[in-house]
Amino acid sequence: MIKPKASILYPCLFAMLLMSAAISLALGPVALSIDDLGSNIGQLRTARILTGMIIGAALSVAGAIFQALLRNPLAEPYVLGVSSGAGVAAATSIIMNIAIFGAWTLPVMAFVGAIAAILLVLAIARSAGGAIPVQTLLLAGVVVGSVLGSGLMFLVNMSPNEKLPTVMWWLMGSLQLFNWSLLQVVAMVTLVSIGLSWFLGSSMNILSMGEEPAAHLGLNVERTKIILLALASLMTGCAVAACGLIGFVGLIVPHSVRSVLGPDHRRLIPSCALCGAAFVVLADSAARSLFVQEIPIGAVTAFMGGPFFLLLLKRGRGARP
Amino acid sequence: MDLGVAPGEFVGLIGPNGCGKTTLLRVISGVIRPTVGEVLLENQNVSRMSRRSLGRLLAVLLQDSATDMAFTVGEVAAMGRWPHLSTFGVETRRDRQIVREALDVADIAHLADKPITAISGGERQRAFFAMCLAQQPRVLLLDEPLSHLDIGHQLSMLSLIRRLNRQLGLTVLAVFHDLNMAAEFCDRLAVLHEGRLAAVGDAADVLKPQLLKQVYRTTLDVMVNPITGRPQIVISARETLVRHNPL
């Protein structure tokens, strides 16, 4: 574990993010130089890079919050059924040709599906006194996720041949989002949520010691849980709405950052945001340039992140006596 | 139940498994709201106090505080300052000084940079004790503080708590399973039986074979420790052992 000063840490991470953006801008089927930034391809790539940064930051911070909140190392942004809820809603809107919101239909439907799933999970887990036991929450999330997941499988099975590629493409995630105003909304929500989560860093530290010790230290546990749940769900919902399901980011980025910088959320949250952003941008450039045909980014995040994560896991184990 | 603890007093809470000791501590610490009656802490009703102001007044050491997160011992101790920090959670130089002193008093300062996931159970208990000290409470609740400690660490932990109780006037209410430790270190003992207070008073008055038989459902003899003059439980009733062990 290393503990660099904030004045060194954040500029370094920021430089890393800028470098990944530069790499991503240059890579792709068409080589790009600095002079081509204003061209169409340059603009499209810039949009993709910005989308990747926002989504990567949102998923990573949401993952860090869920891990602290549920006190479970396997927790990630999709653990409470958000992904399946969004998937069912998105697949439905694609298959049934729903277009009530015009170009915004798919993201709005996905977002509504995501939030509906998490509200359902919350309603199931909430006890009579209004408290939310996290073990019940986790179990309810997994079960609701599975039920919705089977619904999703059914929809995929039923979808007509010409719709199938669109559904599958959405399910595997893509940064190909050519809607600037959608990006602006998602960016706004994500940045505000990350700011608030950063602000709640010390509360998350205390909460990760357990709910009773946290209460003894003066934390209003149930209120903090609700706020954190809302922030993480909002960010996940936005990410899913904009880019479909990009897995693994929200699981491995928080773990990786934690294993290097330690678990203090006051630095974990901003570091996760910067590292997650860089990671998704790099994964997307790999997705675009590794093969002639573009591969889904979800496949790349798992393929790139998995081995790296295992390496950190092994190193972390070795360091402990 | 009516139990009063005077400021600066060290009271031990004893009783068999399931008699409500831990529940009582949780009611006192405000984690459980009592359905009837009230808990007064320095004349304030605990149910009406904010968690934060309660956190500045009262610290709790649980019998097992475990986490997967690899916070260092120093970071854990610093969490004790949380109820005292401003909204932005920035630690001042004074906060850091208090944490350093707490680590010293709990005799864990040498492990300040070690992750709590990588130290022994006894060391972890002292790390959490340092956190309680950094909270600078006026009342300390302990739920079986000795359960993970060997006898040497048990004695040093209790001596330390006793010293803080005497020197700083810290009010202590502690749950004990070890009746001898409780008799040795507490000013008064409170015996809990089936959710009710069976007896309160000086160890010599409370630890009587008759009461112990009624409460713990086993025959125990009480002698006087020749060195300290405090009551000591001795196990002499062989028929009890035989009855529970058919071999």
Side-chain angles (χ1 to χ4, degrees):
Chain A
M1 238 178 272
I2 51 166
K3 303 252 151 104
K5 279 196 179 122
S7 56
I8 299 170
L9 173 69
Y10 298 129
C12 280
L13 291 179
F14 205 74
M16 189 183 76
L17 178 59
L18 286 182
M19 244 159 66
S20 67
I23 292 171
S24 182
L25 200 57
L27 282 181
V30 183
L32 218 59
S33 72
I34 290 287
D35 307 328
D36 303 328
L37 267 181
S39 68
N40 269 344
I41 293 182
Q43 280 189 1
L44 287 183
R45 267 187 211 166
T46 313
R48 265 187 99 124
I49 290 167
L50 287 176
T51 312
M53 285 181 176
I54 296 296
I55 298 315
L59 289 175
S60 306
V61 173
I65 293 177
F66 276 120
Q67 283 162 14
L69 182 71
L70 302 171
R71 283 189 304 286
N72 189 313
L74 284 176
E76 42 100 29
Y78 304 148
V79 76
L80 296 185
V82 170
S83 51
S84 322
V88 168
T92 311
S93 79
I94 294 172
I95 293 165
M96 318 239 326
N97 272 326
I98 297 173
I100 26 174
F101 305 109
W104 287 68
T105 306
L106 192 56
V108 167
M109 288 287 283
F111 183 79
V112 169
I115 300 301
I118 215 152
L119 287 180
L120 176 67
V121 170
L122 257 182
I124 293 171
R126 207 174 173 117
S127 67
I132 305 166
V134 289
Q135 297 306 329
T136 320
L137 187 67
L138 196 55
L139 277 174
V142 169
V143 172
V144 167
S146 307
V147 173
L148 288 173
S150 65
L152 185 60
M153 285 301 117
F154 174 77
L155 282 174
V156 169
N157 238 323
M158 289 289 114
S159 55
N161 276 341
E162 74 273 14
K163 303 280 187 200
L164 197 57
T166 322
V167 175
M168 289 314 286
W169 190 249
W170 189 90
L171 286 180
M172 289 192 282
S174 164
L175 298 183
Q176 205 160 358
L177 162 109
F178 300 133
N179 186 341
W180 279 102
S181 38
L182 174 61
L183 179 60
Q184 278 168 6
V185 172
V186 169
M188 199 88 85
V189 174
T190 301
L191 290 178
V192 170
S193 305
I194 290 175
L196 289 174
S197 326
W198 194 357
F199 178 74
L200 287 171
S202 63
S203 306
M204 269 188 265
N205 284 347
I206 289 172
L207 195 59
S208 57
M209 305 309 289
E211 287 181 19
E212 208 168 316
H216 293 148
L217 284 171
L219 185 72
N220 190 331
V221 172
E222 292 305 326
R223 197 181 68 193
T224 311
K225 270 157 68 183
I226 285 286
I227 295 173
L228 288 174
L229 206 56
L231 288 174
S233 308
L234 211 55
M235 278 190 277
T236 312
C238 279
V240 171
C243 297
L245 303 181
I246 302 176
F248 228 56
V249 179
L251 178 69
I252 58 161
V253 171
H255 274 298
S256 306
V257 175
R258 203 183 287 117
S259 76
V260 176
L261 294 178
D264 187 344
H265 290 82
R266 287 169 297 186
R267 59 172 53 202
L268 184 67
I269 294 297
S271 306
C272 270
L274 292 167
C275 290
F279 176 63
V280 170
V281 168
L282 283 178
D284 183 55
S285 26
R288 275 186 291 126
S289 51
L290 279 183
F291 298 98
V292 180
Q293 199 193 355
E294 188 178 328
I295 44 178
I297 183 170
V300 182
T301 50
F303 193 77
M304 276 174 52
F308 176 67
F309 178 56
L310 288 179
L311 203 73
L312 279 178
L313 202 64
K314 188 136 178 59
R315 204 202 58 166
R317 280 280 155 75
R320 274 177 206 168
Chain B
M1 169 175 317
D2 184 8
L3 176 66
V5 179
E9 204 179 11
F10 189 159
V11 174
L13 207 54
I14 57 174
N17 293 334
C19 71
K21 303 184 297 279
T22 301
T23 309
L24 180 60
L25 283 197
R26 298 178 80 193
V27 170
I28 296 172
S29 67
V31 175
I32 300 179
R33 210 173 269 262
T35 43
V36 286
E38 54 185 16
V39 178
L40 295 179
L41 193 65
E42 297 194 337
N43 290 323
Q44 283 175 282
N45 189 336
V46 166
S47 312
R48 294 214 193 89
M49 287 170 80
S50 74
R51 284 270 25 133
R52 207 177 166 79
S53 45
L54 205 52
R56 289 192 208 123
L57 208 60
L58 177 102
V60 186
L61 183 64
L62 298 173
Q63 58 175 303
D64 194 11
S65 309
T67 172
D68 289 339
M69 299 263 188
F71 286 104
T72 63
V73 169
E75 283 170 339
V76 169
M79 287 181 196
R81 293 310 296 160
W82 199 82
H84 299 276
L85 298 181
S86 63
T87 344
F88 284 92
V90 185
E91 287 155 13
T92 62
R93 189 177 294 160
R94 187 171 160 270
D95 289 316
R96 282 193 287 274
Q97 178 63 33
I98 291 167
V99 172
R100 262 198 302 277
E101 283 168 13
L103 287 166
D104 277 333
V105 171
D107 192 23
I108 197 80
H110 57 291
L111 296 177
D113 293 325
K114 277 264 188 179
I116 50 161
T117 46
I119 57 178
S120 76
E123 291 164 340
R124 202 174 312 135
Q125 191 72 336
R126 290 210 302 264
F128 282 102
F129 188 60
M131 180 177 92
C132 289
L133 292 179
Q135 237 174 306
Q136 293 190 313
R138 287 207 284 275
V139 180
L140 181 62
L141 302 182
L142 304 153
D143 191 358
E144 287 172 38
L146 311 176
S147 51
H148 290 286
L149 306 181
D150 62 52
I151 191 151
H153 282 111
Q154 287 186 2
L155 282 170
S156 65
M157 181 82 153
L158 271 182
S159 312
L160 173 60
I161 294 168
R162 181 74 182 168
R163 208 175 70 229
L164 294 169
N165 164 254
R166 283 291 177 265
Q167 288 174 357
L168 305 175
L170 185 69
T171 311
V172 182
L173 180 63
V175 166
F176 283 102
H177 263 314
D178 190 323
L179 301 180
N180 290 335
M181 290 284 185
E184 212 59 58
F185 285 91
C186 297
D187 297 322
R188 280 195 302 155
L189 293 184
V191 186
L192 227 57
H193 181 44
E194 293 173 351
R196 286 170 196 286
L197 212 52
V200 193
D202 190 80
D205 301 325
V206 168
L207 296 179
K208 298 279 188 206
Q210 203 181 352
L211 180 75
L212 293 175
K213 184 172 178 120
Q214 181 204 341
V215 168
Y216 286 98
R217 295 178 195 288
T218 190
T219 311
L220 294 167
D221 284 316
V222 182
M223 293 174 73
V224 173
N225 182 330
I227 298 160
T228 62
R230 310 286 277 183
Q232 283 269 284
I233 308 297
V234 286
I235 300 153
S236 58
R238 282 170 188 257
E239 70 271 28
T240 320
L241 302 175
V242 171
R243 200 177 64 218
H244 284 299
N245 183 357
L247 292 175

